[in-house]
Amino acid sequence: MIFHLSGVCGTGKTEQLINNIELVKHTETSIILWASLTNKLSEATCNRYKEKYPEHNAMLISSENSLSVRSEILQHIGRPCSLTTQILFISHIALSMLSLDVLQQCTVIIDELPTLIGDYQRLKIPLQDESMLGLTPYIEYEDSLFEGYQRIVIKEEMKLNAKQFAYDLLHNADSNSDSVKAGKLLMGVLHNSKGIFVSTIDNWKLFEFFTGLEFAKKLSQLESVWLLSANLEGLFVEQLLSAYECHINTEHSLSHLNLPLTHPNTSNVEILPFLKNDSTKRSSSFSGYFANSLSCKVIKDSTEEIDVHQLFNQWVISKFENNNFIYCSNKSTTVINHPNSTRLPPMAQGLNNHSHFNQVAFMPHLRPTPEHEAAIKRLASDIGINKQTFVDSYINQTSYEAAYQFSSRISFRNLSRNEDHSLVKEQLQPKCQIIVPDMAHAEYIHNMMPTASINTDGSYERVPSQATEEEITLRQTNKSTRKAIKDAQEQIQKFSILYSIYSLMKDGLTANIACDCFNITARTRRNWLKRYGDDWTNWLTEQEMSLELERETEAS
């Protein structure tokens, strides 16, 4: 069960939880694990906790190596119980690395949304190099419901070896290497086969997977998890946890705190969208394709021969004029070269030392790529969620919620409190401005602060791209042609393997042994025979007839 402590940014969720820590601790566990987004935030929270409770046994464990984290935590769990509260501060990544049996012995606190649950990765391996990552002995491929994709499964007799091999890859390779991705892929298949797919393109195998599925499944099996976040409803994390039948409870021992769910005193906040198109239209979104297009081609009445990114930068500077402001951008966004600007990463939760600023611009495009969106839809089909709802929840979390979190770094979060730590109802606030890419971002933030205003004076309008009927027909034809060529190549490759196995079986080998010679299982062979049916039978007959003709020609 997950106990959700909600409250908008700046309302003191972390402080209130520290003050009421004994109400959170589960009586049957010996230790509390408090996980923050990063090690740096974990350290800051740990220091705040020690100031409040110097007599408690509070410790920071900053290592992100799962073996060392697990061993340190087990040392604390194994110690004799005492009256002193034991609490360990770690990062989200470290928490996700812990096994279920360890987590079940702890009260788990997750400060801010565990965004790593939605972590999507792709692993592209040349066919001839696949064995270099060591995957071949452990995995096999099954047909899937999704055109062009196969599902990956672990060979039943290799599960224990695959688990050990995955651990070795995760703990001994460089964190950003393909070997670590291969380890995550194996762990994902071992613990949850959903969402692990592979496609073959020319001479490459392209694996794609969500590395956080295992973590989401573990959370759903715990009795005592506390989640602190401004929002959860309609986000990817909530959808995924609900799919795993995880009960999310908002009525709990801290319900009496009554933290506000919308921002108080934000009548002086102005939200400025760069695009003012109707947020319900697909053409309104600030996508990567749009951001890299020439302004004169995609912005109404624009004559600028610069890309939209650059126009956006200029617009931000003109709106903020000589005021100091913070902004964020991703790797595709041009840096703003302005003396009054301060650049921060898009995921800025916990960066509260910029609350003296009154202007902020959230600028990156974080929508999933077409390939990523297709992967989300495949996962939705597997776990029984409406596809578009699941995609929307991902965009809500990675784009709109990220924009709200980033915007909340500035001065409207500075709220005065009464002696009992409750918020003072009426507070004067300076005028603040929040720039976002489009109306969808603006409306999401406005829902969190309904007394703010949305100002579209000076905002741009996007010109919807409209393809002609001839262009649409040509695209469909090209797509069908590419698919036909790909299917034909795949069929030729598989028929060649099937024929080689057929020849070995004629020579007396069993199906299992013949299949092993080509690194496939007998089940995969049966799937291929079932899939191709008459096509395979007719092709085999042609091959046999061709061989007979060759033998007759040689004899004559």
Side-chain angles (χ1 to χ4, degrees), residues 2 95-96 98 100 103 110 114 116-118 191-192 210-222 225 236-247 379 383 390:
I2 290 185
L95 181 69
S96 70
L98 298 176
L100 180 61
L103 294 174
I110 305 177
L116 54 83
I117 282 181
H191 293 284
N192 194 324
F210 291 86
T211 60
L213 296 183
E214 179 201 356
F215 182 44
K217 189 175 182 180
K218 283 190 290 190
L219 291 182
S220 69
Q221 299 176 70
L222 299 179
V225 179
F236 190 78
V237 169
E238 183 218 32
Q239 294 282 319
L240 198 54
L241 290 174
S242 297
Y244 286 127
E245 300 181 347
C246 181
H247 181 61
L379 178 57
I383 60 181
F390 208 37

CSV table of all heavy atoms in Angstrom, one decimal, residues 2 95-96 98 100 103 110 114 116-118 191-192 210-222 225 236-247 379 383 390:
chain,number,residue,atom,x,y,z
A,2,ILE,N,0.4,2.2,-0.8
A,2,ILE,CA,1.2,3.5,-0.8
A,2,ILE,C,0.3,4.6,-0.1
A,2,ILE,O,-0.8,4.8,-0.5
A,2,ILE,CB,1.5,3.9,-2.2
A,2,ILE,CG1,2.6,3.0,-2.8
A,2,ILE,CG2,2.0,5.4,-2.3
A,2,ILE,CD1,3.1,3.4,-4.2
A,95,LEU,N,17.3,3.1,-4.0
A,95,LEU,CA,16.1,2.4,-3.5
A,95,LEU,C,15.7,1.4,-4.5
A,95,LEU,O,15.3,0.2,-4.2
A,95,LEU,CB,15.0,3.4,-3.2
A,95,LEU,CG,13.7,2.8,-2.7
A,95,LEU,CD1,13.9,2.3,-1.3
A,95,LEU,CD2,12.6,3.9,-2.7
A,96,SER,N,15.7,1.7,-5.8
A,96,SER,CA,15.2,0.8,-6.9
A,96,SER,C,16.1,-0.4,-7.0
A,96,SER,O,15.7,-1.4,-7.5
A,96,SER,CB,15.2,1.6,-8.2
A,96,SER,OG,16.5,1.8,-8.7
A,98,LEU,N,17.4,-2.1,-4.5
A,98,LEU,CA,17.2,-3.1,-3.4
A,98,LEU,C,16.2,-4.1,-3.7
A,98,LEU,O,15.2,-3.9,-4.4
A,98,LEU,CB,16.8,-2.3,-2.1
A,98,LEU,CG,17.8,-1.2,-1.6
A,98,LEU,CD1,17.2,-0.5,-0.5
A,98,LEU,CD2,19.1,-1.9,-1.2
A,100,LEU,N,13.3,-7.1,-3.0
A,100,LEU,CA,12.0,-7.1,-2.3
A,100,LEU,C,12.2,-7.5,-0.9
A,100,LEU,O,11.6,-6.9,0.0
A,100,LEU,CB,11.0,-8.0,-3.0
A,100,LEU,CG,9.6,-8.0,-2.5
A,100,LEU,CD1,9.0,-6.7,-2.4
A,100,LEU,CD2,8.8,-9.0,-3.2
A,103,LEU,N,13.4,-4.6,1.2
A,103,LEU,CA,12.4,-3.5,1.3
A,103,LEU,C,11.3,-3.9,2.3
A,103,LEU,O,10.7,-3.0,2.9
A,103,LEU,CB,11.9,-3.2,-0.1
A,103,LEU,CG,12.8,-2.5,-1.1
A,103,LEU,CD1,12.2,-2.4,-2.4
A,103,LEU,CD2,13.3,-1.2,-0.6
A,110,ILE,N,9.3,7.8,-0.1
A,110,ILE,CA,9.8,8.3,-1.4
A,110,ILE,C,9.5,9.8,-1.5
A,110,ILE,O,8.3,10.1,-1.6
A,110,ILE,CB,9.2,7.5,-2.5
A,110,ILE,CG1,9.4,6.0,-2.3
A,110,ILE,CG2,9.8,8.0,-3.9
A,110,ILE,CD1,8.8,5.1,-3.4
A,114,PRO,N,8.9,9.0,-8.1
A,114,PRO,CA,10.0,8.2,-8.6
A,114,PRO,C,10.0,8.1,-10.1
A,114,PRO,O,9.5,7.2,-10.7
A,114,PRO,CB,9.8,6.8,-8.0
A,114,PRO,CG,8.3,6.8,-7.8
A,114,PRO,CD,7.8,8.2,-7.5
A,116,LEU,N,12.0,7.5,-12.3
A,116,LEU,CA,12.8,6.4,-12.9
A,116,LEU,C,11.9,5.2,-13.3
A,116,LEU,O,12.2,4.4,-14.1
A,116,LEU,CB,13.9,5.9,-12.0
A,116,LEU,CG,13.6,5.5,-10.6
A,116,LEU,CD1,13.1,4.1,-10.5
A,116,LEU,CD2,14.8,5.7,-9.7
A,117,ILE,N,10.6,5.2,-12.8
A,117,ILE,CA,9.7,4.1,-13.1
A,117,ILE,C,9.4,4.2,-14.6
A,117,ILE,O,9.2,3.2,-15.3
A,117,ILE,CB,8.4,4.3,-12.3
A,117,ILE,CG1,8.6,3.7,-10.9
A,117,ILE,CG2,7.2,3.6,-13.0
A,117,ILE,CD1,7.4,3.7,-10.0
A,118,GLY,N,9.4,5.4,-15.2
A,118,GLY,CA,9.1,5.6,-16.6
A,118,GLY,C,10.4,5.6,-17.5
A,118,GLY,O,10.3,6.0,-18.7
A,191,HIS,N,12.1,-10.5,-14.1
A,191,HIS,CA,11.1,-10.1,-13.1
A,191,HIS,C,9.7,-9.7,-13.7
A,191,HIS,O,8.7,-9.7,-13.0
A,191,HIS,CB,11.6,-9.0,-12.2
A,191,HIS,CG,12.8,-9.4,-11.3
A,191,HIS,ND1,12.6,-10.1,-10.2
A,191,HIS,CD2,14.1,-9.2,-11.5
A,191,HIS,CE1,13.8,-10.3,-9.6
A,191,HIS,NE2,14.7,-9.8,-10.4
A,192,ASN,N,9.7,-9.3,-14.9
A,192,ASN,CA,8.5,-8.9,-15.5
A,192,ASN,C,8.7,-8.9,-17.1
A,192,ASN,O,9.3,-8.0,-17.6
A,192,ASN,CB,8.1,-7.5,-15.1
A,192,ASN,CG,6.7,-7.1,-15.4
A,192,ASN,OD1,6.2,-7.5,-16.5
A,192,ASN,ND2,6.1,-6.4,-14.6
A,210,PHE,N,11.4,-0.8,-20.6
A,210,PHE,CA,11.3,0.2,-19.5
A,210,PHE,C,11.9,-0.4,-18.2
A,210,PHE,O,11.5,-1.5,-17.7
A,210,PHE,CB,9.8,0.4,-19.2
A,210,PHE,CG,9.1,1.2,-20.3
A,210,PHE,CD1,8.5,0.5,-21.3
A,210,PHE,CD2,9.0,2.6,-20.2
A,210,PHE,CE1,7.9,1.2,-22.4
A,210,PHE,CE2,8.3,3.3,-21.2
A,210,PHE,CZ,7.8,2.6,-22.3
A,211,THR,N,13.0,0.2,-17.8
A,211,THR,CA,13.8,-0.4,-16.7
A,211,THR,C,13.1,-0.2,-15.4
A,211,THR,O,13.5,-0.9,-14.4
A,211,THR,CB,15.2,0.3,-16.6
A,211,THR,OG1,15.0,1.7,-16.4
A,211,THR,CG2,16.0,0.2,-17.9
A,212,GLY,N,12.1,0.6,-15.2
A,212,GLY,CA,11.5,0.8,-13.9
A,212,GLY,C,10.3,-0.2,-13.6
A,212,GLY,O,9.7,-0.1,-12.6
A,213,LEU,N,10.0,-1.1,-14.5
A,213,LEU,CA,8.8,-2.0,-14.3
A,213,LEU,C,9.1,-2.9,-13.1
A,213,LEU,O,8.1,-3.1,-12.3
A,213,LEU,CB,8.6,-2.8,-15.6
A,213,LEU,CG,8.2,-2.1,-16.8
A,213,LEU,CD1,7.9,-3.1,-17.9
A,213,LEU,CD2,6.9,-1.2,-16.6
A,214,GLU,N,10.3,-3.3,-12.9
A,214,GLU,CA,10.6,-4.2,-11.8
A,214,GLU,C,10.4,-3.4,-10.5
A,214,GLU,O,9.8,-3.9,-9.5
A,214,GLU,CB,12.0,-4.7,-11.9
A,214,GLU,CG,12.4,-5.6,-10.7
A,214,GLU,CD,13.9,-5.7,-10.5
A,214,GLU,OE1,14.7,-5.2,-11.4
A,214,GLU,OE2,14.3,-6.3,-9.5
A,215,PHE,N,10.8,-2.2,-10.5
A,215,PHE,CA,10.7,-1.3,-9.3
A,215,PHE,C,9.2,-1.1,-8.9
A,215,PHE,O,8.8,-1.1,-7.8
A,215,PHE,CB,11.5,0.0,-9.5
A,215,PHE,CG,11.5,0.9,-8.3
A,215,PHE,CD1,11.7,0.4,-7.0
A,215,PHE,CD2,11.2,2.3,-8.5
A,215,PHE,CE1,11.7,1.3,-5.9
A,215,PHE,CE2,11.2,3.1,-7.4
A,215,PHE,CZ,11.4,2.6,-6.1
A,216,ALA,N,8.4,-0.8,-10.0
A,216,ALA,CA,7.0,-0.5,-9.8
A,216,ALA,C,6.3,-1.8,-9.2
A,216,ALA,O,5.5,-1.7,-8.3
A,216,ALA,CB,6.3,-0.1,-11.1
A,217,LYS,N,6.7,-2.9,-9.7
A,217,LYS,CA,6.1,-4.2,-9.2
A,217,LYS,C,6.5,-4.4,-7.7
A,217,LYS,O,5.7,-4.9,-6.9
A,217,LYS,CB,6.6,-5.3,-10.1
A,217,LYS,CG,5.9,-6.6,-9.8
A,217,LYS,CD,6.3,-7.7,-10.7
A,217,LYS,CE,5.5,-9.0,-10.4
A,217,LYS,NZ,5.9,-10.1,-11.4
A,218,LYS,N,7.8,-4.1,-7.4
A,218,LYS,CA,8.2,-4.3,-6.0
A,218,LYS,C,7.4,-3.3,-5.0
A,218,LYS,O,7.0,-3.7,-3.9
A,218,LYS,CB,9.7,-4.0,-5.8
A,218,LYS,CG,10.6,-5.1,-6.3
A,218,LYS,CD,12.0,-4.9,-6.0
A,218,LYS,CE,12.7,-3.8,-6.7
A,218,LYS,NZ,14.1,-3.8,-6.6
A,219,LEU,N,7.2,-2.1,-5.5
A,219,LEU,CA,6.4,-1.1,-4.6
A,219,LEU,C,5.0,-1.6,-4.4
A,219,LEU,O,4.5,-1.4,-3.3
A,219,LEU,CB,6.4,0.2,-5.3
A,219,LEU,CG,7.7,1.0,-5.4
A,219,LEU,CD1,7.5,2.4,-6.0
A,219,LEU,CD2,8.3,1.2,-4.0
A,220,SER,N,4.4,-2.3,-5.4
A,220,SER,CA,3.1,-2.8,-5.2
A,220,SER,C,2.9,-3.9,-4.2
A,220,SER,O,1.8,-4.2,-3.7
A,220,SER,CB,2.5,-3.2,-6.6
A,220,SER,OG,3.2,-4.4,-7.0
A,221,GLN,N,4.1,-4.5,-3.9
A,221,GLN,CA,4.1,-5.6,-2.9
A,221,GLN,C,4.4,-5.3,-1.5
A,221,GLN,O,4.5,-6.1,-0.6
A,221,GLN,CB,5.0,-6.7,-3.4
A,221,GLN,CG,4.6,-7.3,-4.8
A,221,GLN,CD,5.6,-8.3,-5.3
A,221,GLN,OE1,5.8,-9.4,-4.8
A,221,GLN,NE2,6.4,-7.9,-6.3
A,222,LEU,N,4.7,-4.0,-1.3
A,222,LEU,CA,5.1,-3.5,0.1
A,222,LEU,C,3.9,-3.1,0.9
A,222,LEU,O,2.9,-2.5,0.3
A,222,LEU,CB,6.1,-2.4,0.0
A,222,LEU,CG,7.4,-2.7,-0.8
A,222,LEU,CD1,8.3,-1.5,-0.8
A,222,LEU,CD2,8.2,-3.9,-0.1
A,225,VAL,N,4.6,2.1,2.3
A,225,VAL,CA,5.3,3.0,1.5
A,225,VAL,C,4.7,4.4,1.6
A,225,VAL,O,3.4,4.5,1.4
A,225,VAL,CB,5.4,2.6,0.0
A,225,VAL,CG1,6.1,3.6,-0.8
A,225,VAL,CG2,6.0,1.2,-0.2
A,236,PHE,N,2.0,9.1,-15.0
A,236,PHE,CA,2.4,7.8,-15.5
A,236,PHE,C,2.7,6.8,-14.3
A,236,PHE,O,2.3,5.7,-14.3
A,236,PHE,CB,3.7,8.0,-16.3
A,236,PHE,CG,4.2,6.7,-17.0
A,236,PHE,CD1,3.6,6.3,-18.2
A,236,PHE,CD2,5.2,6.0,-16.5
A,236,PHE,CE1,4.0,5.2,-18.9
A,236,PHE,CE2,5.7,4.8,-17.2
A,236,PHE,CZ,5.1,4.4,-18.3
A,237,VAL,N,3.3,7.4,-13.2
A,237,VAL,CA,3.6,6.6,-12.0
A,237,VAL,C,2.3,6.0,-11.5
A,237,VAL,O,2.2,4.8,-11.1
A,237,VAL,CB,4.3,7.4,-11.0
A,237,VAL,CG1,4.4,6.7,-9.6
A,237,VAL,CG2,5.7,7.7,-11.4
A,238,GLU,N,1.2,6.8,-11.3
A,238,GLU,CA,0.0,6.4,-10.8
A,238,GLU,C,-0.7,5.3,-11.7
A,238,GLU,O,-1.1,4.3,-11.2
A,238,GLU,CB,-1.0,7.6,-10.6
A,238,GLU,CG,-2.3,7.2,-10.0
A,238,GLU,CD,-3.5,7.9,-10.6
A,238,GLU,OE1,-3.5,8.2,-11.8
A,238,GLU,OE2,-4.5,8.1,-9.9
A,239,GLN,N,-0.7,5.5,-13.0
A,239,GLN,CA,-1.2,4.6,-13.9
A,239,GLN,C,-0.6,3.2,-13.8
A,239,GLN,O,-1.2,2.2,-13.8
A,239,GLN,CB,-1.1,5.1,-15.4
A,239,GLN,CG,-2.0,6.3,-15.6
A,239,GLN,CD,-3.4,6.0,-15.8
A,239,GLN,OE1,-3.8,5.1,-16.5
A,239,GLN,NE2,-4.3,6.9,-15.3
A,240,LEU,N,0.8,3.2,-13.7
A,240,LEU,CA,1.5,2.0,-13.7
A,240,LEU,C,1.3,1.2,-12.4
A,240,LEU,O,1.1,0.0,-12.4
A,240,LEU,CB,3.0,2.3,-13.9
A,240,LEU,CG,3.9,1.1,-14.4
A,240,LEU,CD1,3.3,0.4,-15.6
A,240,LEU,CD2,5.3,1.6,-14.7
A,241,LEU,N,1.4,2.0,-11.3
A,241,LEU,CA,1.1,1.3,-10.0
A,241,LEU,C,-0.3,0.8,-9.9
A,241,LEU,O,-0.5,-0.3,-9.4
A,241,LEU,CB,1.4,2.3,-8.9
A,241,LEU,CG,2.8,2.8,-8.6
A,241,LEU,CD1,2.9,3.9,-7.6
A,241,LEU,CD2,3.7,1.6,-8.2
A,242,SER,N,-1.2,1.5,-10.4
A,242,SER,CA,-2.6,1.0,-10.4
A,242,SER,C,-2.7,-0.3,-11.2
A,242,SER,O,-3.5,-1.2,-10.9
A,242,SER,CB,-3.6,2.1,-10.9
A,242,SER,OG,-3.5,3.2,-10.1
A,243,ALA,N,-2.0,-0.3,-12.4
A,243,ALA,CA,-2.1,-1.5,-13.2
A,243,ALA,C,-1.5,-2.7,-12.5
A,243,ALA,O,-1.9,-3.9,-12.7
A,243,ALA,CB,-1.3,-1.3,-14.5
A,244,TYR,N,-0.6,-2.5,-11.5
A,244,TYR,CA,0.0,-3.6,-10.7
A,244,TYR,C,-0.8,-3.8,-9.4
A,244,TYR,O,-0.3,-4.4,-8.5
A,244,TYR,CB,1.5,-3.3,-10.4
A,244,TYR,CG,2.4,-3.5,-11.6
A,244,TYR,CD1,3.3,-2.5,-12.0
A,244,TYR,CD2,2.4,-4.7,-12.3
A,244,TYR,CE1,4.1,-2.7,-13.1
A,244,TYR,CE2,3.2,-4.9,-13.4
A,244,TYR,CZ,4.1,-3.9,-13.8
A,244,TYR,OH,4.9,-4.1,-14.8
A,245,GLU,N,-2.0,-3.2,-9.4
A,245,GLU,CA,-2.9,-3.4,-8.3
A,245,GLU,C,-2.4,-2.9,-7.0
A,245,GLU,O,-2.6,-3.5,-5.9
A,245,GLU,CB,-3.3,-4.9,-8.2
A,245,GLU,CG,-4.0,-5.5,-9.4
A,245,GLU,CD,-4.4,-6.9,-9.3
A,245,GLU,OE1,-3.9,-7.6,-8.3
A,245,GLU,OE2,-5.2,-7.4,-10.1
A,246,CYS,N,-1.7,-1.8,-7.1
A,246,CYS,CA,-1.2,-1.1,-5.9
A,246,CYS,C,-2.2,-0.1,-5.4
A,246,CYS,O,-2.6,0.8,-6.1
A,246,CYS,CB,0.2,-0.4,-6.2
A,246,CYS,SG,0.9,0.4,-4.7
A,247,HIS,N,-2.6,-0.3,-4.1
A,247,HIS,CA,-3.6,0.6,-3.6
A,247,HIS,C,-3.0,1.9,-3.1
A,247,HIS,O,-2.0,1.9,-2.3
A,247,HIS,CB,-4.4,-0.1,-2.4
A,247,HIS,CG,-5.4,0.8,-1.8
A,247,HIS,ND1,-6.5,1.2,-2.5
A,247,HIS,CD2,-5.5,1.3,-0.5
A,247,HIS,CE1,-7.3,1.9,-1.7
A,247,HIS,NE2,-6.7,2.0,-0.5
A,379,LEU,N,3.3,-1.3,-24.2
A,379,LEU,CA,3.2,-1.6,-22.7
A,379,LEU,C,1.8,-1.5,-22.2
A,379,LEU,O,1.3,-2.3,-21.4
A,379,LEU,CB,4.1,-0.7,-22.0
A,379,LEU,CG,4.1,-0.8,-20.4
A,379,LEU,CD1,4.5,-2.2,-20.0
A,379,LEU,CD2,5.1,0.2,-19.8
A,383,ILE,N,-0.5,-4.4,-20.2
A,383,ILE,CA,-1.0,-4.4,-18.8
A,383,ILE,C,-2.5,-3.9,-18.7
A,383,ILE,O,-3.0,-3.6,-17.6
A,383,ILE,CB,-0.1,-3.4,-18.0
A,383,ILE,CG1,-0.1,-2.0,-18.5
A,383,ILE,CG2,1.3,-4.0,-17.9
A,383,ILE,CD1,0.8,-1.1,-17.8
A,390,PHE,N,-2.6,6.2,-21.4
A,390,PHE,CA,-1.3,5.9,-20.9
A,390,PHE,C,-0.2,6.9,-21.5
A,390,PHE,O,0.6,7.4,-20.8
A,390,PHE,CB,-0.9,4.5,-21.3
A,390,PHE,CG,0.1,3.8,-20.3
A,390,PHE,CD1,0.0,4.1,-19.0
A,390,PHE,CD2,1.0,2.9,-20.8
A,390,PHE,CE1,0.9,3.5,-18.1
A,390,PHE,CE2,1.9,2.3,-19.9
A,390,PHE,CZ,1.9,2.6,-18.6
